[in-house]
Amino acid sequence: MTAIAHKPARKPVRGRDIVWMILPAIPFVLLLAGWTIYWAIVRPNMGTLPPVWTVAQTLWQITASGELLGHIIASLGRLVAGVSVGIVTGVLLGFLVGLNKRAAEFVYPLVIFFSAISGIVWLPLVIGWLGLGPALFIFLIWNTVFFLVFQNTVLGVQLVSEVLELGVRTLGGSRLHTILNVTAFGAMPYIMSGIRSGLGFGWRALIAAELVGASSGLGQMIFHAAEFHRADIILAGCVVIGLLSLLMDRLILVPLERRTIERWGLVTPGAKGA
Amino acid sequence: MTPTVQGDKIVVENFQHIFDSADGPIEATGRVDLTIPAGQFVTLVGPSGCGKTTLLKAIAGFIDPTHGRILCDGAPVTGPGRDRGVVFQELAILPWRTVRRNIAHGLEIARAPRQEIDATVKRLIELTGLVGFEDRYPHELSGGMKQRVAVARTWAADPDVILMDEPFAAVDAMTRLTLQEELASLSYQTKKTVFFITHSVDEAVFLADRVLVMSRRPGTIKASIEVPRRTPGGRDWESFTTDTDMQAIVEKVLRLVREEKTAHKKDSAPVALEAAG
């Protein structure tokens, strides 16, 4: 009996591993170097493109003054609320449509119709309907996240191997038991992929919404800076958004995937999270 | 485990299934009548595409037959149920459950007490040689071990009838011999009614109390051959290959299957038959 079972042992961190943890930073370093060289040669207007160190200084200033933290907290609160509503509704409706052909016939045309209409279009109308409050942000983020999570969930549910579901049915599992114990797990790689895209595009929707309808938040900070031609603050804001997005991926999604879909062999690690 | 139940376990009456396709209806099987007594191990051999799997799916309750009906313990089959366990050719165990929790799944569904679940799982893990792998996930196991988990999972749920669709086709030849011996002894010990589909004539005779030969598509059952009772220890390949009575049965079944292949050639249809496997 040949058994190729092996325990996934925790390897000690070696020099090579540390190198591989640092290497992904290279593209960012190259970007900064390119920016610096371009700036040194062309010397553009400070209001158009400031040098790297000015942006770094500004970033430090708004961090030290506590201004940045206030904006981050305001933005993150909105993002989490909007993305959560988007994920919950996207997964629930995705399951309904993925599992039920009749439901699919009713819901699909509606979803495709509305997925083409961007948040910017809704904005003037929704301000009138919901006012300039939290509901506005939640709606605009939902309007992006929902469609991504929904489409991925539908695909994931439909791709779960029928034989896995039938197997559990023959063990006496009810339809609900099979959905909760087979379909939900089997669809997870796709749902996770939908959540990952949803988070990224949720940030985009959030900043766009904040440009218009907020008195605080990173989008508002950027919008305010634009009025005074403070390109350094705009770029500092971009850096913060990008870093927060990266941190959320590395601290929440990647560990979650490692413990679930990678642990179960549903996806092969390697493409991400070196 | 349940003791042998007397009488007819599975009755297939005037069965035929017809699929709708873009080119019109396709007869998946011919007319099939079949009775499987309780506790019998029945194997079914026949050429590819003859309708073996369709018949098994109908007994499992996955498809609603076009004609006829299927009875289990005298009651018509209307859908899948825990009285009829299925071991699939594809490795149908759940990747997100450990070996232990896959085997326990049927008992968890039945809300069996914790102690009973633990005891049954332990016994089946020992019987199927999975000791030491209880907490592994399926992707960490070899094909042969995954298939043992699949067999153990079905047995643990303690169905009266076990339906197996070429369960060992995907494992390597050496492992297959071991799995076949283990299945022979497991089924003998537990007195289950088993309906087992295979391409391999050797496998069919080795495991069976009775071998059925199906004709090419649309398949009907053209022969039923009794195999002498198994001994308490089950069977092993060494004594099977040297047993002249057994080899005579193998030859007889092989001849019947080969006729189908020859008939096939005359029609020059492009479906191959894997007689041995």
Side-chain angles (χ1 to χ4, degrees), chain B residues 61-75:
Chain B
F62 300 154
I63 55 174
D64 194 16
T66 317
H67 296 292
R69 59 180 193 159
I70 288 156
L71 305 173
C72 179
D73 280 327

Side-chain angles (χ1 to χ4, degrees), chain A residues 1-2 5 163 177 181 263, chain B residues 96 105 136 139-140 142 148:
Chain A
M1 179 83 256
T2 49
V163 82
H177 176 92
N181 287 275
R263 183 75 192 86
Chain B
W96 41 87
H105 201 164
R136 299 290 168 84
H139 77 106
E140 299 169 313
S142 66
R148 287 169 179 198

Side-chain angles (χ1 to χ4, degrees), chain A residues 67-214:
Chain A
E67 190 196 343
L68 183 64
L69 188 66
H71 290 309
I72 288 178
I73 289 170
S75 286
L76 274 182
R78 292 168 188 145
L79 184 81
V80 168
V83 168
S84 305
V85 177
I87 291 173
V88 170
T89 52
V91 167
L92 286 180
L93 217 62
F95 265 87
L96 184 71
V97 166
L99 291 169
N100 190 319
K101 216 174 151 231
R102 276 284 138 71
E105 279 165 14
F106 280 98
V107 176
Y108 241 127
L110 198 69
V111 169
I112 289 172
F113 181 93
F114 281 103
S115 68
I117 301 165
S118 77
I120 296 294
V121 178
W122 289 120
L123 197 59
L125 296 173
V126 177
I127 289 175
W129 298 339
L130 301 174
L132 287 171
L136 174 71
F137 302 114
I138 292 178
F139 171 79
L140 289 172
I141 296 169
W142 173 86
N143 188 56
T144 314
V145 177
F146 168 78
F147 296 100
L148 291 165
V149 175
F150 170 82
Q151 294 286 8
N152 277 281
T153 305
V154 172
L155 183 66
V157 167
Q158 289 172 339
L159 282 175
V160 175
S161 160
E162 199 195 5
V163 82
L164 292 183
E165 295 171 339
L166 288 175
V168 171
R169 299 276 294 180
T170 63
L171 292 175
S174 64
R175 180 144 161 82
L176 182 66
H177 176 92
T178 309
I179 290 168
L180 293 177
N181 287 275
V182 184
T183 321
F185 284 85
M188 261 185 77
Y190 292 87
I191 296 174
M192 294 292 269
S193 166
I195 291 173
R196 173 168 277 125
S197 328
L199 264 177
F201 283 87
W203 271 109
R204 293 182 178 211
L206 170 71
I207 300 304
E210 283 180 342
L211 290 180
V212 183

Side-chain angles (χ1 to χ4, degrees), chain B residues 110-177:
Chain B
R111 297 184 195 287
R114 190 77 252 165
Q115 286 153 310
E116 188 197 323
I117 295 180
D118 290 345
T120 307
V121 170
K122 189 168 178 285
R123 189 165 44 86
L124 277 159
I125 280 176
E126 280 163 10
L127 270 172
T128 50
L130 289 164
V131 176
F133 295 90
E134 293 89 338
D135 296 314
R136 299 290 168 84
Y137 285 95
H139 77 106
E140 299 169 313
L141 306 177
S142 66
M145 299 194 88
K146 282 184 207 170
Q147 204 51 288
R148 287 169 179 198
V149 177
V151 169
R153 179 180 85 157
T154 303
W155 248 268
D158 199 20
D160 287 344
V161 179
I162 292 174
L163 309 167
M164 304 179 90
D165 188 3
E166 296 189 50
F168 305 142
V171 299
D172 68 273
M174 292 309 290
T175 306
R176 194 179 306 138
L177 298 180

